Amino acid sequence: MSTSSSIGTTCQAASHAQPKSLAQQLIAATSKKARSAAILMLADGTVFYGRACGASGEVTGEVCFNTSLEGYFEVITDPSYAGQIVTMTYPQIGNYGVNVADTQMAPQYPQMYCGNLSPALRGLVVHDMCETPSNWRSEMSLPEYLEERNIVAIEGIDTRALVRHLRDNGSQKGILSTIDLDEKSLAAKLAEAPELVGTNLVQTVSCKEAYSYSYGRSMKSRAFAVQEPAPARRNVVVYDCGIKRGILDGLVNAGCAPTLVPWNTPASEVLKLQPDGVFLSNGPGDPDAVDATYSQVKKLLGKVPVFGICLGHQMISLACGGSIEKLKYGHRGGNQPVMNLLSGRVEVTAQNHGFNLVFPSLGELISEESGGVSKHPVSGDLRFWSERRIAPVVRNKRFGRIRLTHVNLNDGTCEGIQLLDAKAFSVQYHPEASPGPTDAHYLFTAFMRLMDGEEDYLNIDISKDRLAGWVFGSEEKEAHNA
């Protein structure tokens, strides 16, 4: 069995995971308390030892990492993390506790969702778990929440070494256990665990039947920071592929009245509702496995305005005949720079995805609409276009002209497209800031403008729009507009 060179330091944690009697007494007298040993093993044989800091148990899933400095509770409750063991790169997690109203699971989850009240992720990995939070909104500690919701978690490992390993070798299957510490036994179990690629995880987090959404307890608990939403003036059907509640709130804030439908709802049923627009939500797993959604999107494009976020972006891409690739370790965190090629603005964005559209697969470039360029960059790096401030257009066999609108400035991957001959656009990232920056709030406004029939709906001054809906931004916004 192979073991990475970084494990020498993490193996030292084994002695802490099984302390001597005196050490146990000392730990029991602190806020940390006495915790049982835990182990994380990756598919390539890399092993990390630590301490349990959540529920007792054993889980398998894809091990990935999130680079957000805050918002751990929103990350943990994001349905898009179904099937994954999430590593938080920030050293201490849980310091401001948990307010259950901040959950990103949709409000109808107990009645209409598959499963139970537990978050969809498989497990959590942190360096240091805070047992004694300090925050006036906190209702319980994070370890208490994890135990209550049966989420297995590990602390005390070198998360820097783990993240470096995943960056070098890619995200991979892992097994996290507090009940079996035998490496041979764990390796055998891990070999039998299913792969993420090819698995439809959307069906595990989508609603079972249609329902309407409106503000609930979550928004009331944040009235000190969030203004009342705009009056609803557009009826929007939402394909629920595991939607975050923050995205639903973003739609409501912009003036939408959302009706959520299951992930495999036929397009004919959606059109019977006579929506002003259709929204395609975020969601977990391999987009190629969600054919029951993108096959219906193909029937909706050109008939009704469509906006897609994250998995929804991939659904539009697949409906257009595009190819999706699995990224080496994905984009997960609240600090990803993206350029809007139409406005030239750079947004700091929140992201959570492991798959990405291969933009050239949508069609050949239209030279006269792509700055005179007739061939896609050989490297595949889309920063070619951001450096030249060009939003290139391809000719798609199914839906006419499609424009590249957003590019990731870290690695040059596609972050957004716009169908020019059908009313539709999509982005790969999360604009609702749950958690994350507010730079991309303008996309909900853009959706309203698309439904209103505006041509240049994506060209919005984000320095103004990012303050919309926030109480703390009112004075700054008034000063900006003066």
Side-chain angles (χ1 to χ4, degrees), residues 50-101:
R51 300 178 297 273
C53 58
S56 176
E58 185 174 284
V59 292
T60 60
E62 182 185 59
V63 182
C64 62
F65 60 89
N66 185 294
T67 59
S68 293
L69 301 185
E70 48 79 36
Y72 53 80
F73 184 62
E74 289 88 342
V75 169
I76 291 168
T77 57
D78 180 354
S80 293
Y81 280 112
Q84 294 181 311
I85 297 172
V86 181
T87 304
M88 301 300 297
T89 63
Y90 191 73
Q92 186 180 68
I93 298 298
N95 56 307
Y96 55 84
V98 166
N99 186 310
V100 178

Side-chain angles (χ1 to χ4, degrees), residues 25 30 55 78 101 154 185 202 216 220 237 263 280 299 314 320 328 394 449 465:
Q25 295 177 38
T30 69
D78 180 354
I154 185 174
S185 171
V202 167
K220 293 177 182 177
V237 170
W263 67 283
L280 309 173
K299 300 174 184 178
Q314 296 161 359
C320 294
K328 185 175 182 180
V394 299
R449 288 169 51 151
D465 194 87

